[in-house]
């Protein structure tokens, strides 16, 4: 399987494994998923500490305290953008590129 295809399949499979029968992740399911599926100590410390309150619930657009697949993917996309920014050491002014603006608050 090609790498991009494998990445897409993995994201869908991970979400499906942890999501409840209504295809949403509640606070406990999301916390469990992040604790098990995020291996980087630096990233894990930033998003998995405490009781899950540090998990960015600003992704919950409809304010139901659960993340559906679209809301989950917004978070995955943000993490990927932040990883790309860090990896390539792009230094952009926060006001100039809205794609990377989310990284400042998400990864703190």
């Amino acid at each position: 399987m090609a790498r991009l295809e494998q990445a897409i399949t993995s994201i869908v499979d991970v979400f499906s494994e942890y999501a409840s029968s209504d295809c949403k992740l509640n606070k406990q399911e999301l916390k469990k998923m992040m604790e098990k599926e995020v291996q980087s100590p630096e990233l894990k410390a930033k998003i998995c500490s405490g009781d899950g309150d540090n998990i960015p619930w600003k992704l919950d657009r409809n304010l139901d305290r659960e993340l559906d697949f679209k809301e989950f993917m917004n978070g995955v996309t943000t993490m990927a953008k932040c990883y790309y920014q860090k990896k390539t050491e792009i230094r952009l002014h926060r006001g100039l590129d809205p794609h990377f603006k989310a990284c400042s608050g998400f990864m703190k």
Side-chain angles (χ1 to χ4, degrees), residues 87-103:
K87 183 176 179 171
T88 58
E89 298 183 2
I90 295 172
R91 300 292 182 236
L92 298 172
H93 186 272
R94 289 183 183 166
L96 296 179
D97 191 338
H99 295 102
F100 292 104
K101 188 174 182 181
C103 297

Side-chain angles (χ1 to χ4, degrees), residues 26-71:
N26 64 31
K27 182 178 179 177
Q28 293 80 21
E29 293 162 342
L30 182 59
K31 182 177 186 243
K32 182 179 177 181
M33 181 192 67
M34 297 303 274
E35 287 174 346
K36 186 174 178 186
E37 302 296 337
V38 176
Q39 297 299 312
S40 164
E42 180 184 60
L43 185 56
K44 188 175 277 199
K46 291 178 181 177
I47 60 178
C48 296
S49 63
D51 63 355
D53 287 334
N54 290 342
I55 295 171
W57 286 105
K58 63 185 174 184
L59 298 172
D60 181 17
R61 296 291 184 189
N62 62 358
L63 304 176
D64 65 352
R65 297 295 293 165
E66 295 181 312
L67 297 183
D68 61 23
F69 187 72
K70 183 177 180 179
E71 293 166 331

Side-chain angles (χ1 to χ4, degrees), residues 7-24:
I8 292 166
T9 302
S10 292
I11 290 169
V12 172
D13 289 347
V14 167
F15 180 85
S16 297
E17 179 180 336
Y18 291 94
S20 57
S21 60
D22 64 351
C23 298
K24 292 184 179 183

